[in-house]
Amino acid sequence: MSGRLQGKVAVVTGGASGIGEASVRRFIGEGARVVIADVDDQRGKTVADELGSAALFVHADVTDQGDWTHLLATTSAHFAPLDVLVNNAGGGRGVGKIVDEVYEGHRAILDLNLSSVWMGTRAALPVMGAHGGGSIVNISSIDGLVGVEGMTSYAASKFAVTGLTRTVAFEGGPHNVRINSVHPGFIRTPMTAKHTGAVKARLESAIQKQPITRFGTPEDIANAVLFFASDESSYCTGTSLVVDGGQLAGPHRDPM
Ligand SMILES: NC(=O)c1ccc[n+]([C@@H]2O[C@H](COP(=O)([O-])OP(=O)(O)OC[C@H]3O[C@@H](n4cnc5c(N)ncnc54)[C@H](O)[C@@H]3O)[C@@H](O)[C@H]2O)c1
C-alpha cells in the first residue's frame, strides 16, 4: 500500500524531540525519507539510528545561515532535493512583563522562532520550485493568534510566523509551493514538561477550562503537519490550522 508521503523527501527542524520527532515518525510511516535537523546531536542520532535508512540526522542550528545551506545541500546529496520543510524548531517561553525582558533575550527568541523560519523558507522555496513544487509547514502556536499576558517576545515571534506564512504564500503559489502554519495549544513535550510551580499550575488550570480537558500529544500535532505536507491539502496555502483542544474556542464561563 502506498503511503501519503510516498517518495517524498522532508526536512524537519527540531526533529529530535517533541512535536518534531513525532512528525518525523509520522512521515516515515507514510513513506517519506526524512532529514532530522537539530542541535541535539545525541538525541538526533539516536532517533535516526532507530528509524533506519529512511532517516538521516544532520546537525543544524536553524539560526545559522551557513547551517541552512549545508542542510539543504546534504539533503539533496543523500536523498534528493526536498519536497517538504517543517519549520518546527523553536521555544523560549515568556519571562513575565515586557519591562522585565531584556533586549538580548528578546532578540534570541526572534532569532530562534522567526528568523529561522525566514531563513528556511528563503532557502527551500527555490529548491522546491525548481523540481515542480513542495510544501512548507511552519509551527506557530495559539500564542501566534491571540494575545497572552507575560509572553511578549514569544507571542510576537509566533504572530510573525503567521504573517510570514500568509505573505510568502503569494510567492510560492506560482511555483506550486504551498506554505501553511499549524498552531498547537498545550502539548505534552519535553518543552512543557520543564514547567514547575505556578506556571505548571496555571497551565493545568487553563487545560481544565478547555472543551477537551487534556494535554495534546505530539502525535495530535504531527497529524495536522502531515495533512499540510501531503497532497491532501493541495488547495490549502497561506492558511492556519489550530490544534488546541478548543482552547481558542471562546472564553470559559460558568453555565448561566
Ligand atoms: N509544546 C507545546 O505546548 C507547544 C505549543 C505551541 C507551540 N509549540 C511550538 O512547537 C515547536 C516544537 O516544540 P516542542 O514542544 O516539541 O519542543 P521540544 O523542546 O520538545 O523540541 C524542540 C527541539 O528543537 C531543537 N532546537 C532548539 N533550538 C534549535 C536550534 N537553534 N536549531 C535546531 N534545533 C533546535 C531542540 O534541540 C529540540 O530537539 C516549537 O516551535 C514551539 O514553540 C509548542
Side-chain angles (χ1 to χ4, degrees):
M1 204 177 74
S2 188
R4 292 158 72 188
L5 293 181
Q6 203 64 45
K8 305 271 190 199
V9 172
V11 170
V12 179
T13 70
S17 170
I19 291 167
E21 180 186 346
S23 301
V24 170
R25 292 179 185 278
R26 194 76 178 87
F27 282 16
I28 287 181
E30 293 292 340
R33 289 170 293 166
V34 183
V35 174
I36 299 166
D38 209 294
V39 287
D40 186 338
D41 295 356
Q42 198 184 346
R43 179 126 189 94
K45 280 181 193 153
T46 303
V47 174
D49 286 350
E50 187 202 319
L51 292 169
S53 62
L56 174 73
F57 172 72
V58 175
H59 177 95
D61 179 344
V62 291
T63 67
D64 187 300
Q65 189 79 59
D67 280 10
W68 273 106
T69 306
H70 175 252
L71 173 62
L72 297 203
T74 307
T75 302
S76 292
H78 189 83
F79 290 135
L82 83 174
D83 304 288
V84 175
L85 170 64
V86 184
N87 281 312
N88 162 76
R93 310 295 290 184
V95 293
K97 298 183 167 87
I98 189 168
V99 291
D100 297 325
E101 290 189 341
V102 295
Y103 179 72
E104 292 72 20
H106 162 75
R107 277 260 36 118
I109 288 178
L110 290 189
D111 284 347
L112 178 58
N113 293 345
L114 171 61
S115 301
S116 62
V117 176
W118 180 88
M119 284 185 212
T121 302
R122 189 167 178 272
L125 214 147
V127 178
M128 291 176 175
H131 73 278
S135 172
I136 300 172
V137 188
N138 294 329
I139 307 301
S140 176
S141 169
I142 52 172
D143 301 343
L145 294 169
V146 295
V148 195
E149 189 178 358
M151 306 278 291
T152 305
S153 294
Y154 181 81
S157 71
K158 293 298 191 180
F159 264 80
V161 169
T162 311
L164 183 150
T165 302
R166 294 181 187 180
T167 305
V168 177
F170 288 94
E171 290 177 46
H175 304 285
N176 198 29
V177 177
R178 299 181 297 103
I179 174 163
N180 296 290
S181 54
V182 172
H183 300 256
F186 303 123
I187 311 303
R188 180 65 84 198
T189 68
M191 184 173 105
T192 46
K194 283 181 205 145
H195 296 315
T196 54
V199 175
K200 185 173 179 225
R202 277 206 298 276
L203 201 58
E204 279 165 5
S205 158
I207 288 171
Q208 286 314 309
K209 291 176 182 150
Q210 290 180 176
I212 299 172
T213 54
R214 66 163 174 86
F215 265 102
T217 64
E219 292 73 27
D220 287 325
I221 305 306
N223 287 334
V225 175
L226 172 64
F227 171 68
F228 279 140
S230 78
D231 294 340
E232 289 162 21
S233 59
S234 62
Y235 199 50
C236 296
T237 196
T239 197
S240 307
L241 180 54
V242 177
V243 186
D244 70 342
Q247 174 65 213
L248 296 192
H252 176 83
R253 295 195 189 99
D254 290 331
M256 299 198 188

